[in-house]
Amino acid sequence: MREFLQEVKRRNVFRVAIVYVVAGWLTMQVVDVMFPALNIPAWVTSLVAALLLIGFPFAVIFAWAFELTPEGIRREKDIDRSESITNQTGKKLNQTAIIILAIALGFMLFDKFYLSSGDDMPIADIKPSIAVLPFVNMSDDRGNEYFSDGLSEELLNLLAKIPQLHVAGRTSSFQFKGENHDLRRIGEMLNVANVLEGSVRQSGTRLRITAQLINADTGYHLWSETYDRELTDVFTIQDEIAANVVDALRLKLLGEEIPQPFHGTENVEAYNLYLRALFLADRTTEADFLNAKEALKRAIEIDPNYAQAYAFLAEIHQLLISGWVGDGHEDFAVGFRQVNEYADAALAINPDLAEALIAKGNAITSGEFDHDRAAEYYVRALESDPNNANAMSWLSFIRSAQGNHAEGIRLSERVLQLDPLSLAAQRALGDIYRVGGRTEDAIRVYQEALEQAPGTARIHGRLARIYLAQGDFESAAKHITAEPVQWVRDMYAIMLNSRGEDSESFRAAAAAYEEAYGVSNSYQLAEIYGFVGNIDSAFKWLETGLEIHDPGLPWMQTSEFLRPLHSDPRWAETARRAGF
C-alpha cells in the first residue's frame, strides 16, 4: 500500500487532483456571478457543475496513466524511469495551483467590493424578505388559471400583514408569470432574499398544491411541501403554507408569530368567485371589470358577510366611474354614493379591514372632497396592514395635495420599494415628484416606466404635460403623439396647438372637446382654459366639477395649468369647496 501511494505521489496524481479542484471551484465562482448578469439560463450553470464533476475522475485517471514530457503526452508505461520528469512537472503543478488560488482570491475581492457594490440596497438588508411568484396552473382546464393566480395573491396578502417581513408587491411579483427567470436575478430585481413558488392542480373537488421556499441568492430550498386535499381545505392549505414560510425564516429572521389568518369567508363557492374577480380585474378592460363586478355580487349573494368582496366591489366601482377603466360615463355623485355603500357594508362586517378602509377613504376624498377625513381612513388602513402599498399611495397623494410634499414623496418612494416593477407605483411617484417641484426626478421616473413598458397609458401624457408647462412644444408633441389614451391625447393636443394663446381656433377646439367628452371631463376643460389664461372659463368648469363631484378636483391645488387662477379672489372659495 505504501508503494502504491508513493507511486501515486510520484506520478503527480494528488497535485493534478488539487489543481483540478481549485480550477473547478474558480470556474463555478465565475459562472455563478457572470451567468445571471448575462441572462444565461440557470440550467446552464447546473450543466457546467455536472461536467466538472464528471471530468474529475477522468483527470485523475489521465494523471495516473500519462505523463507530460518535452516530446508531448506519452503513456507512463512507455517512459524509462531515468527519463521521467515528474519532479519538474510537479513543481509546475504547484506553481499552477498557486496562480489559480491567487486569481481566485482576486476574483473574490473583485466580486465583493466591485460587483456587489452600488447604490441599491442589498437583498434583505434590514428585514427578512420574500416574493410570492404566481403559482403555475397545472390543471387540465386552463380556465382554472384564475384559481392559481388568486391563491398566490392571497398568500402574498397574508404574508404582507406581518410587519417584520418585507414582501414584494403583487404587481412586481406577477411580472414573472409564465417566464423562467434565474431566481438570483428575480431576488435582485425585487430586492428580496427568498422566493415562494409553486403549482396548483385542480381536478373536480381535489387539489394538489405544491409550494417551495427558495433562497434567491443560493438557490437552496428552505422548505417545500405538497398538499393533496379537497377544495374545501383551500383555506387551511393557505394558512399552513404561510405558517411554514414563517417557520422556515424565523430561526434567523423572525421572532413573532404569524397574525391569525382570516379569509373573509368559509364558503368555497364565494371564495372562488372572489378569486375570479381578482383575475378579471387584473386585465384592466371595461368588459373584464364589469364581469368582475358581477362575480363579486354573486359572491356576496352566497355569503352576505363577505367583507373582502364588498371592499373589492367598492374599489372596482370607483375605478369604473372615475374613468380609470373604461369611459366613466356614470354620474359621479351617484357612483360615489354606491362606492360609499359598498365600503360601509364591508366596514360593518370588519371595521379593521384595510381594503374597506381604503375604499371608504377613496369615496370620501373623490366624492365628498373631505381630504382630512379620507386621510384618517388611510392611516387606519396602514395601522391594520403596515405594508399596504395601496393605502400608502393614496395617503401620499393626499399629503401632496395638501402641500406636504416631503411626506408625499417619502410615502410614494416607499410604495415603489414594496413594488419595484409596478408601473402604477412608478407613475404615481412621478406625479408626486412633479407636483412637489422635482421635475427632473419626475421625468426620470416616467422614462424608466416607459423603458419597462413603452406602451403604458398616461405616461407619455404626463411627460407632455411637463413639457407644455415648460414651453417645450417640440418635446410635448412627441409624447402627445405616443400617448395611447385618446381623451388625454386630445386634451394636450389642444394645448399644444394653442401655444398658450386664447384664439378662435383654440375655442373651437375646446368646444369640440366639450362636445366629445361632456361634463365628465370638466376638470380637464378647466385646465385647458387655464393653460391659455381664460380665467373665467376655467372657473366655470371648476364650478361644474364641484357640482358633479368630478374626481379630478383634488388635483387642482397642484395643477401647473391652474396657477393663473390663484391670484383671483374666486380661488380661495373654490379651493375651500374642493376640500382645501
Side-chain angles (χ1 to χ4, degrees):
M1 185 65 178
R2 176 179 293 180
E3 291 179 358
F4 173 74
L5 292 176
Q6 288 178 345
E7 186 63 16
V8 169
K9 183 177 180 182
R10 186 190 71 81
R11 296 189 187 192
N12 294 314
V13 175
F14 289 137
R15 290 188 174 95
V16 169
I18 292 171
V19 170
Y20 188 95
V21 169
V22 173
W25 177 81
L26 176 60
T27 300
M28 287 309 302
Q29 293 303 306
V30 174
V31 165
D32 197 39
V33 172
M34 299 307 298
F35 276 25
L38 298 173
N39 290 321
I40 295 175
W43 66 264
V44 179
T45 301
S46 300
L47 177 62
V48 172
L51 291 175
L52 287 171
L53 288 172
I54 293 170
F56 179 76
F58 290 98
V60 172
I61 293 170
F62 188 89
W64 171 264
F66 295 89
E67 182 177 335
L68 185 62
T69 70
E71 290 79 26
I73 297 174
R74 296 172 58 187
R75 292 175 63 87
E76 200 281 334
K77 67 179 183 179
D78 297 334
I79 301 174
D80 191 291
R81 291 292 178 92
S82 62
E83 297 177 356
S84 177
I85 60 169
T86 53
N87 287 336
Q88 298 177 34
T89 305
K91 292 179 181 178
K92 291 180 180 179
L93 287 171
N94 289 340
Q95 294 172 357
T96 302
I98 292 171
I99 292 171
I100 294 174
L101 284 171
I103 294 172
L105 178 61
F107 183 80
M108 289 175 61
L109 293 173
F110 177 71
D111 179 34
K112 180 175 180 63
F113 295 107
Y114 181 75
L115 293 179
S116 299
S117 65
D119 296 330
D120 294 336
M121 183 185 297
I123 293 176
D125 187 48
I126 300 174
K127 288 184 177 182
S129 53
I130 190 172
V132 180
L133 301 186
F135 279 32
V136 179
N137 175 33
M138 301 294 289
S139 306
D140 294 333
D141 183 0
R142 307 314 297 174
N144 285 341
E145 185 179 2
Y146 79 91
F147 188 83
S148 55
D149 280 4
L151 178 69
S152 310
E153 186 166 351
E154 288 289 277
L155 280 169
L156 186 154
N157 291 335
L158 185 58
L159 291 170
K161 296 183 186 300
I162 303 173
Q164 296 83 1
L165 186 62
H166 171 85
V167 181
R170 186 255 184 214
T171 305
S172 296
S173 296
F174 274 56
Q175 289 280 333
F176 302 99
K177 180 179 177 179
E179 299 183 9
N180 186 23
H181 281 275
D182 178 77
L183 288 182
R184 173 175 285 188
R185 179 64 176 153
I186 292 175
E188 291 173 349
M189 293 177 70
L190 301 185
N191 192 32
V192 295
N194 306 285
V195 171
L196 179 67
E197 61 180 12
S199 63
V200 179
R201 181 182 294 276
Q202 183 177 357
S203 179
T205 62
R206 291 294 297 176
L207 282 179
R208 166 168 284 190
I209 298 176
T210 299
Q212 50 190 3
L213 180 66
I214 304 170
N215 183 289
D217 190 42
T218 64
Y220 293 147
H221 283 64
L222 303 178
W223 164 83
S224 64
E225 188 69 64
T226 298
Y227 303 87
D228 285 301
R229 306 277 183 85
E230 289 291 325
L231 181 61
T232 52
D233 290 332
V234 63
F235 306 121
T236 303
I237 296 171
Q238 290 181 33
D239 299 343
E240 288 181 13
I241 292 173
N244 282 322
V245 168
V246 172
D247 286 340
L249 299 177
R250 180 186 289 130
L251 290 178
K252 294 188 299 180
L253 305 172
L254 295 171
E256 303 292 332
E257 294 298 324
I258 187 171
Q260 184 64 34
F262 179 65
H263 302 281
T265 184
E266 295 182 358
N267 187 292
V268 174
E269 185 181 356
Y271 184 67
N272 247 320
L273 289 164
Y274 178 79
L275 295 186
R276 187 178 293 278
L278 286 173
F279 181 75
L280 290 168
D282 193 44
R283 300 185 180 188
T284 65
T285 68
E286 185 173 16
D288 285 316
F289 263 57
L290 291 172
N291 288 331
K293 277 185 64 176
E294 291 306 311
L296 291 168
K297 287 180 178 179
R298 292 204 306 274
I300 291 168
E301 288 176 2
I302 295 169
D303 184 353
N305 292 317
Y306 199 170
Q308 280 88 337
Y310 275 114
F312 194 26
L313 185 57
E315 179 184 352
I316 292 287
H317 198 69
Q318 185 230 334
L319 291 170
L320 280 167
I321 64 174
S322 300
W324 283 101
V325 178
D327 296 326
H329 293 309
E330 184 175 348
D331 181 279
F332 291 135
V334 173
F336 279 114
R337 278 199 296 272
Q338 184 66 72
V339 173
N340 248 321
E341 289 177 10
Y342 291 144
D344 286 341
L347 290 172
I349 299 166
N350 185 351
D352 297 321
L353 182 64
E355 292 80 3
L357 292 165
I358 295 167
K360 182 67 176 178
N362 294 349
I364 291 171
T365 194
S366 298
E368 301 176 20
F369 305 139
D370 189 344
H371 311 303
D372 288 333
R373 185 161 155 253
E376 293 175 2
Y377 279 94
Y378 299 140
V379 170
R380 283 178 57 192
L382 288 172
E383 290 172 351
S384 175
D385 185 0
N387 289 325
N388 194 301
N390 199 19
M392 285 184 205
S393 185
W394 278 102
L395 185 58
S396 168
F397 160 65
I398 292 293
R399 295 303 186 223
S400 292
Q402 293 174 328
N404 189 349
H405 299 301
E407 179 66 3
I409 289 171
R410 184 191 69 79
L411 288 165
S412 200
E413 287 178 340
R414 174 62 180 150
V415 172
L416 195 58
Q417 287 177 357
L418 289 169
D419 213 350
L421 300 184
S422 167
L423 293 169
Q426 289 174 296
R427 184 169 53 198
L429 178 58
D431 292 345
I432 301 303
Y433 279 148
R434 175 172 55 82
V435 302
R438 292 173 57 173
T439 305
E440 293 305 315
D441 285 328
I443 292 173
R444 172 182 55 79
V445 171
Y446 290 146
Q447 289 176 338
E448 287 173 355
L450 289 175
E451 288 172 4
Q452 182 179 328
T456 303
R458 304 189 190 185
I459 292 184
H460 280 292
R462 283 162 160 79
L463 286 164
R465 182 185 189 95
I466 289 174
Y467 292 123
L468 284 168
Q470 293 177 342
D472 185 351
F473 299 124
E474 182 178 353
S475 296
K478 294 177 182 177
H479 290 289
I480 291 170
T481 302
E483 171 57 50
V485 179
Q486 184 171 344
W487 71 260
V488 176
R489 192 168 60 247
D490 291 347
M491 170 187 174
Y492 292 131
I494 293 171
M495 294 181 177
L496 174 68
N497 294 330
S498 76
R499 295 299 196 268
E501 298 293 330
D502 187 7
S503 63
E504 290 185 12
S505 60
F506 160 77
R507 294 191 181 193
Y513 188 86
E514 176 187 350
E515 180 70 21
Y517 300 107
V519 295
S520 62
N521 280 37
S522 57
Y523 177 72
Q524 285 72 29
L525 282 160
E527 287 199 312
I528 288 171
Y529 281 106
F531 181 72
V532 298
N534 189 329
I535 307 299
D536 290 338
S537 293
F539 272 114
K540 167 196 165 186
W541 285 108
L542 287 177
E543 180 64 30
T544 302
L546 287 167
E547 291 172 359
I548 67 170
H549 294 265
D550 190 321
L553 282 179
W555 288 100
M556 63 179 285
Q557 282 285 81
T558 59
S559 172
E560 52 271 75
F561 301 139
L562 297 180
R563 284 175 190 158
L565 282 67
H566 288 199
S567 58
D568 190 283
R570 291 170 286 183
W571 177 259
E573 175 60 17
T574 303
R576 185 195 64 77
R577 292 171 61 198
F580 300 105

